Structure formats: structure tokens, C-alpha cells
Amino acid sequence: MSDSKSNTGRPRRKNMRAAEREKLIVEEAVRFFAESGFEGQTRELAKRMGISHAVIYRHFDSKDALIERVYDHVYLKRWNPEWEQLILDRDRPLQERLTQFYVAYADRVFDYDWVRIFVSSGLKSYGLTERYLGIIRTKIIEPAALELRESRGGPEALPPSDTPPADEIELFWGLHGAVFYIAIRKYVYNIPLEINVEATVRATVANFFEGALHGTRQANMQAF
Amino acid sequence: MSDSKSNTGRPRRKNMRAAEREKLIVEEAVRFFAESGFEGQTRELAKRMGISHAVIYRHFDSKDALIERVYDHVYLKRWNPEWEQLILDRDRPLQERLTQFYVAYADRVFDYDWVRIFVSSGLKSYGLTERYLGIIRTKIIEPAALELRESRGGPEALPPSDTPPADEIELFWGLHGAVFYIAIRKYVYNIPLEINVEATVRATVANFFEGALHGTRQANMQAF
DNA sequence: AACATAAATGACCGATTGGTCACTTATCTA
DNA sequence: TAGATAAGTGACCAATCGGTCATTTATGTT
């Protein structure tokens, strides 16, 4: 019933509605370009779907148009706007907020397709990664830097400004890099990670706030 | 005299010795593949050098063979074996050793060609990045984790073993990621970094040891 | 059942690709 | 200076690539 082949055993062609076919193509293209890079041929993509590659050009004007759709599907749909509020929630310590954000972020974004397509498009410099990292900067990094400044308080607190100094911003880019590098090792460099990603993210954030000199095992335990 | 063109103004062809031509090809190929990715055409590479692309195939069996040589030239020659001793030098605090290492490492490795070719080859998974990161792990990360254990000492020090527990290893991968992510932002994502790389590396290592809660500005100042 | 319409096909096009080869040209040597 | 040898060239090849199109086939409608 849910089998796409008829009972003759020979795979019978089945015409799909345009919307459904497009969706299938985009989804397969995501995985395909993640594996092969954007040089991957439309013919091979089509073969994986059991269709002629001309079908792709019926539904998409060009290969670039398909890649554009792949971007949409991979990037934009994974950003959770609630994260922007989370960082600013002063009812909870900043460390707790960042821990929750990075755990959720890793859960959403750390997968084969997303990471590889993101890095690939960075190398091709379509300008898309810049735009995406702009979101990270303005919605997470800069607010977090301001929040740290606020939470520290004390005599050294400077008058609040809209953009924190570059070195404090860099501090949080360092945290971001420490976390994201987990995904890079796994999906770009193909290093087999036997670790628990969530636990590692928690430990990374904890260490960011407390420092290695204070001991890691305790930090791991009391994280969050 | 050092001009490669004759005085007629027309660029006169000049036959080079095989060794010299090979060297020129590899050096140009490094920059070329860093820009275009490994899909870049040999014809365009040749055009940049003002020669026919058949020359490349006189000196290299195939494009893959050339890429292999590019790997050698980019990776292996930049690793400084003295770094392996540096990490183990117990006459100085671990933080100081790691600061010196990462400053030197960034100085050697953070450039356009190296970073882009490293990431590109990671995506293609020729197995080369795995090998290189194996060096990082066994020569830097694991020794550093053991050294931290040693330097902490105290009642919680466990009996020394050859391989530290996974979570302590991950801690130092986090530091490595925080540092290397600077290069990724700059050369893969094309983010214009107006910051001073060395100062940022120092601050990153300092924060790794001391933690953000203890204040960053002081950490910056007293780093090293 | 018959028609209209949309979906899918396979052959085809022109440009590009890695790679080869017969030939030309520069350089070294006697 | 003449011949030998190595370096470089441009035309060529076969496979691959993105993209098109006339034709065939499936599906919804009457």
C-alpha cells in the first residue's frame, strides 16, 4: 500500500504533483550536496531519486536555483527566535542561559547536512554564511557580552553601550568556536567522536565561565 | 636582469629545469586551489602561470598527483617539532606554555592558503585531515591534559595514566577550537576581523584557564 | 471511455573537463 | 656550430556537465 512499486515487480513510474516533487528534490539535494559538495551532478542526484535529471529542470530554473532552495531549507528553518529572548532573560544566571542556548543550538544544528553545507557555502563565499553569522553576532554574541558586563557589575562596570568592546566580543566568539568546533571535527574532518555532545557542550560552557584552573570534573557535575 | 621578459617587450618563452618548474607549479597550485577549491581547472591554473596546461601533465602524472604535492607543501612543512617539547616543559606554568604554543601556531598556520586547503580537504575526506588532527591530539591535546592533571595535583589527582579521560581531552579540544575558529571566521567565512590575532589568542588561552567570571580585561593584561 | 493537462522521459546540444600526442623550440653539450 | 635532449605548445580526444525539447505516459475531469 505504501509501497511505491506496483505488484508487477517492475517499478512503475508515478507522477507526482509539482509541490510534492519539488519538496522531494530539495530534501534529497540537501543530503546529496552535503556529501558531494555543490559540484555534484544533477544527473547523479536524479539517479538517486530514480528519475530523469530533466525532471529537476522542470521544477527548478537552474542548478543554482536549486542550491538557493537548499540554502533556505537548511539554514533559515533551524533558527529558533526564542533563543534571542533566552539570552536576555535576567531571571537566570548568564551561564545557565548560555548553557541552555548552546545545548539547544547543538541539538538543532549539529548534523551532517547542516554543517557540511554551511562550511561548503562558506568556502564558495556566496555571502550566505556572512549573513548567518551576522545573526549569531547580533542576537547572541553581542547581547551575551553586554549581559556579562551587567552581571559582573562592581566598580569596573563601564557605562552600558550598544556595542561592547572588541575584546569582550571576541571572548564569546571563542566560546562559540569551542562549541562549533565539535561539529566541525565530527562532520567536516570525519573524526569519530565517542563523546556525548550535550555533556561536552555543558562542560565547555562551564569551563568558559569558571576556567580550567578550578577543575573540570566539578564543573561538569555542577553545570546547569 | 631578473626580468623574465626579453628586451623586445614580447614575453619570450623560457624553458626551465624540471625541478624549478615543478616548484613553481606547486606554489601556484596552492594559492589556486585555496581560492577555487580542488574543482579548479588545470587550464586556468596554467593560464595564471602563462604556460600551456600540458606542461602540468609533463611534470605531474595527474591532477590528483598535483593535489597530493599541494598537501605536502601546505601541511607537513608547517609543523614545528619543538612544539612537542614546549608542551612538556615543566619549568614553566602550563598556561604559559599553551599561550606560547598557540601564538606560534597561529602565526604559522593562520593564512589563507593553509586554512582553506585544510578545510577543503576535510570536506573531500582524503583522510589527510584525520592524520593531521591525530598529530594535534597526540602531541598537544593529550599531553596538555596530562600536564593539567599534574599541575593541579592536590587530593583529587588520579594516578597518572597514558590517556586522560575523554572529558578532560575534550576540554582542550575546546580550547583548540576556540583558537582555530578565529581562522575559520577569517578565511572560510570571510568575516573581516579587525582584531589583533595574537592578542586574541592570548586572551582566549587566558580565559580558558581563568574563566570569564574572573574578568577579561585583567586576564588580557596579565596573559603571559 | 475520451479528452485535456501535467509529469516524466531520453535523446540531444554546446561548453568544459582531465589527459594525450605529434610537433616545435629552447637549452645543454661536444 | 651541430646534434642531442629536455621543455613547451596547440590541436585533439573522450567523458562529463548544465540545460533544452519533442515525445511519451500518467492522472484528473467530464
Side-chain angles (χ1 to χ4, degrees), chain B residues 148-207:
Chain B
L148 175 64
R149 201 167 252 257
E150 180 71 22
S151 76
R152 276 218 216 102
E156 51 166 321
L158 298 179
S161 58
D162 284 343
T163 56
D167 59 330
E168 294 180 20
I169 301 246
E170 277 306 313
L171 202 67
F172 283 90
W173 274 123
L175 171 59
H176 191 81
V179 172
F180 195 70
Y181 196 72
I182 297 170
I184 291 180
R185 276 191 293 150
K186 188 168 182 181
Y187 297 116
V188 178
Y189 298 154
N190 301 308
I191 308 293
L193 295 190
E194 73 287 6
I195 55 151
N196 178 300
V197 170
E198 179 178 329
T200 304
V201 169
R202 288 179 189 279
T204 300
V205 177
N207 184 73

Side-chain angles (χ1 to χ4, degrees), chain A residues 30-41:
Chain A
V30 166
R31 170 47 64 132
F32 176 69
F33 288 134
E35 291 174 11
S36 320
F38 296 121
E39 325 79 90
Q41 314 170 23

